[in-house]
């Protein structure tokens, strides 16, 4: 959909990390898009544009679609950002806090996290900071678990090679 120069858009943002993909279908890009589609239809949002980062951790904000969306925000072309759940925006509590409390406010951007009941039109609830802390902790915990599995697989592969060398 092409926006006229005087229109602002509703940005639909989806993100899926490799770790989220391992957790199952509930966070899939398709699932996120479907939830957002139903939400915007039910609530009458218009001038929609999707931004999708597939395979990006929420810990980093160097994500192509996120950066493109934020350029649109800074250009004054975004009125609302909608995500499936708050963790899709990011898993760094400091950056997310600045986005919600400063950046989005500065550019008059409404932020909605559908499944978490977050809508900045109602203000920013103190529980969001707790969610942000949990989201950051979850990313660190998942990262440690993934590294442990990779290291264990590497050790098993090494041990198998050594066993074959000893046998042969």
């Amino acid at each position: 959909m092409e926006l006229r120069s005087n229109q602002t858009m509703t940005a639909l943002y989806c993100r899926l990390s490799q770790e989220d993909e391992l957790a199952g279908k509930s966070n899939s890009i398709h699932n996120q898009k479907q939830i957002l589609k139903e939400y915007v239809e039910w609530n009458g949002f218009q001038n929609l544009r999707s931004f999708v980062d597939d395979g990006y951790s929420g810990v980093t904000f160097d994500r192509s679609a996120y950066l493109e969306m934020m350029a649109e925000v800074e250009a004054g072309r975004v009125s609302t950002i909608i995500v499936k759940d708050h963790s899709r925006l990011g898993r760094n509590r400091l950056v997310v806090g600045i986005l919600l409390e400063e950046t989005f406010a500065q550019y008059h951007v409404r932020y909605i996290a559908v499944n978490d009941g977050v809508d900045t039109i109602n203000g920013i609830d103190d529980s969001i900071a707790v969610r942000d802390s949990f989201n950051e902790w979850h990313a660190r915990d998942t990262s440690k678990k993934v590294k442990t599995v990779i290291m264990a697989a590497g050790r098993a592969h090494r041990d198998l090679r050594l066993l074959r060398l000893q046998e042969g």
Side-chain angles (χ1 to χ4, degrees):
M1 170 180 292
E2 190 75 25
L3 293 177
R4 285 184 240 131
S5 61
N6 64 343
Q7 289 183 312
T8 57
M9 73 179 82
T10 298
L12 308 177
Y13 182 72
C14 301
R15 179 188 60 77
L16 182 68
S17 70
Q18 293 170 342
E19 291 81 11
D20 291 326
E21 196 168 25
L22 297 174
K25 291 184 178 181
S26 66
N27 279 327
S28 73
I29 294 296
H30 174 77
N31 182 287
Q32 290 178 54
K33 284 182 176 180
Q34 186 62 36
I35 288 169
L36 296 178
K37 179 180 181 252
E38 290 171 11
Y39 184 85
V40 297
E41 285 176 1
W42 181 259
N43 290 282
F45 286 94
Q46 308 233 333
N47 302 322
L48 310 175
R49 181 166 168 201
S50 293
F51 296 86
V52 178
D53 281 318
D54 198 349
Y56 287 87
S57 169
V59 175
T60 180
F61 286 82
D62 187 21
R63 303 177 236 140
S64 57
Y66 168 80
L67 293 171
E68 183 181 355
M69 178 180 73
M70 291 309 296
E72 295 290 348
V73 166
E74 292 168 6
R77 292 190 285 264
V78 176
S79 58
T80 307
I81 294 174
I82 306 175
V83 296
K84 172 189 163 250
D85 60 57
H86 188 53
S87 67
R88 300 302 89 202
L89 182 61
R91 292 188 183 271
N92 179 315
R93 64 184 170 77
L94 297 175
V95 174
V96 172
I98 290 170
L99 285 170
L100 292 180
E101 294 184 30
E102 294 180 14
T103 308
F104 294 164
Q106 176 185 348
Y107 291 100
H108 309 288
V109 173
R110 179 181 179 186
Y111 170 74
I112 299 170
V114 175
N115 285 349
D116 291 322
V118 173
D119 186 342
T120 57
I121 203 165
N122 302 319
I124 298 175
D125 187 299
D126 290 340
S127 69
I128 291 177
V130 174
R131 273 193 194 120
D132 290 342
S133 292
F134 177 78
N135 287 335
E136 186 174 305
W137 169 83
H138 176 76
R140 286 183 191 158
D141 185 57
T142 300
S143 178
K144 286 178 189 174
K145 288 177 182 174
V146 168
K147 286 176 186 172
T148 300
V149 168
I150 291 170
M151 287 173 42
R155 282 192 301 270
H157 180 70
R158 181 197 67 215
D159 293 347
L160 183 60
R161 273 195 357 236
L162 288 173
L163 183 63
R164 286 182 180 156
L165 286 173
Q166 289 172 352
E167 291 174 347

